[in-house]
């Protein structure tokens, strides 16, 4: 079974050090992501890339290598680029969490997505940024905002995985007994009425009004069949104890 995340591609542009390619591959693989592309890497394939992938060699081996960025993103409907904040560049900026939501929405719609990460020293240049629909800016400490390439990839991959897991949790069916039907609720209300009489709960108050209020409470709670069985058990014990107290008489 394919996942929408299979439509998301991490693209490293002009990577200088082959070890960073392996580290980035490891970062995305730990988050359940696999699509990996390289644009004009300085040295690849390379043993250091394989070594630093540390078990994510399948991601490195399957990486698509392109000569230009347009080739790497030609089939993508959404392109986001990891950048530092830039003055004078008109580009929407998203933090990684907001970016993950946008990426996931596009992937769920069946669109291929590219996430771009630039050269270690200079990042994405203006010619590369112009291909992006928006930028991803990690809100690091402004007094020391130096993330290395693999760290930046890991942050974005983590947020994307969390967005996907939250989506799955929201869509998962609630397991357990089915909600009690109307007939089962009426049986419970009849049992409740008998019990309130047995324990002399009303003490001159209107039984109908009390039962009406209790009906509203339990209908709002919407108990399932198992929960109703527990409630029936409580009512049965209350009736039994009230009968024992009457038979025992005054102490």
């Amino acid at each position: 079974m394919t996942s929408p995340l299979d439509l998301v591609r991490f693209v490293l542009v002009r990577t200088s050090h082959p070890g960073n390619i392996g580290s980035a591959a490891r970062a995305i693989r730990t988050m359940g992501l696999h699509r990996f592309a390289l644009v004009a890497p300085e040295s690849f394939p390379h043993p250091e890339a394989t070594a630093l992938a540390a078990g994510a060699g399948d991601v490195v081996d399957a990486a698509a290598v392109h000569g230009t960025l347009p080739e790497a993103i030609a089939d993508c409907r959404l392109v986001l680029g990891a950048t530092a904040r830039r003055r004078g560049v008109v580009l929407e900026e998203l933090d990684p969490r907001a970016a993950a939501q946008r990426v996931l929405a596009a992937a769920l719609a069946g669109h291929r997505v590219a996430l771009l990460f630039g050269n270690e020293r200079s990042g994405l240049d203006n010619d590369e940024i112009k291909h992006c629909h928006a930028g991803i800016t990690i809100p690091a400490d402004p007094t020391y905002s130096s993330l290395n390439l693999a760290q930046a990839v890991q942050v974005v991959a983590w947020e994307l995985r969390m967005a996907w897991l939250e989506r799955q949790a929201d869509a998962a069916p609630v397991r357990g007994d089915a909600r009690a039907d109307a007939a089962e609720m009426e049986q419970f209300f009849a049992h409740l009425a008998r019990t309130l009489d047995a324990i002399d709960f009303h003490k001159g108050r209107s039984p109908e009004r009390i039962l009406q209020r209790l009906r509203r409470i339990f209908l709002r709670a919407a108990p399932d069949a198992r929960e109703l069985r527990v409630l029936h058990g409580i009512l049965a014990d209350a009736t039994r104890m009230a009968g024992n107290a009457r038979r025992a008489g005054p102490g």
Side-chain angles (χ1 to χ4, degrees):
M1 182 178 178
T2 60
S3 162
L5 297 186
D6 292 335
L7 296 173
V8 180
R9 182 181 313 158
F10 282 73
V11 182
L12 306 189
V13 183
R14 299 179 292 108
T15 310
S16 300
H17 303 292
N20 286 334
I21 294 173
S23 296
R26 179 181 183 182
I28 69 171
R29 182 65 182 83
T30 58
M31 296 297 110
L33 297 148
H34 303 271
R35 305 298 182 190
F36 198 42
L38 307 171
V39 175
E42 288 191 15
S43 183
F44 185 83
H46 194 282
E48 191 173 350
T50 303
L52 289 183
D58 56 332
V59 176
V60 173
D61 293 342
V65 181
H66 302 275
T68 67
L69 179 56
E71 292 173 7
I73 62 175
D75 59 345
C76 294
R77 298 285 187 90
L78 177 65
V79 179
L80 303 182
T83 69
R85 290 191 182 276
R86 297 187 179 210
R87 294 180 180 177
V89 176
V90 181
L91 184 70
E92 181 184 6
E93 291 183 344
L94 305 171
D95 64 32
R97 190 156 300 173
Q101 293 295 336
R102 186 171 299 186
V103 168
L104 186 57
L108 286 167
H111 300 156
R112 290 185 175 86
V113 180
L115 300 173
L116 310 185
F117 296 82
N119 175 269
E120 296 93 329
R121 292 185 296 273
S122 58
L124 296 170
D125 64 27
N126 287 345
D127 283 340
E128 292 157 351
I129 289 173
K130 73 182 181 183
H131 294 284
C132 298
H133 296 96
I136 305 173
T137 302
I138 297 172
D141 185 343
T143 65
Y144 188 70
S145 57
S146 178
L147 281 83
N148 68 33
L149 176 58
Q151 288 173 330
V153 169
Q154 186 77 80
V155 169
V156 175
W158 157 261
E159 290 291 356
L160 186 53
R161 179 166 179 80
M162 291 305 297
W164 174 234
L165 292 176
E166 289 169 6
R167 172 105 184 177
Q168 288 181 304
D170 290 342
V174 178
R175 299 187 180 275
D177 288 1
R179 177 174 173 171
D181 61 27
E184 290 169 328
M185 291 302 299
E186 289 305 317
Q187 290 172 1
F188 168 71
F189 290 135
H191 192 179
L192 178 60
R194 294 194 301 271
T195 302
L196 294 178
D197 287 338
I199 64 175
D200 194 22
F201 176 81
H202 301 299
K203 297 181 175 63
R205 293 172 293 185
S206 168
E208 291 79 11
R209 181 171 297 178
I210 291 172
L211 281 171
Q212 185 178 21
R213 290 176 178 172
L214 290 173
R215 284 179 72 95
R216 285 200 298 268
I217 292 171
F218 285 107
L219 288 173
R220 188 166 58 243
D224 61 29
R226 181 177 299 180
E227 291 166 339
L228 273 191
R229 288 195 292 272
V230 172
L231 291 171
H232 278 296
I234 292 171
L235 296 179
D237 277 353
T239 301
R240 177 180 55 79
M241 293 176 68
N244 290 343
R246 283 195 297 271
R247 286 190 290 273

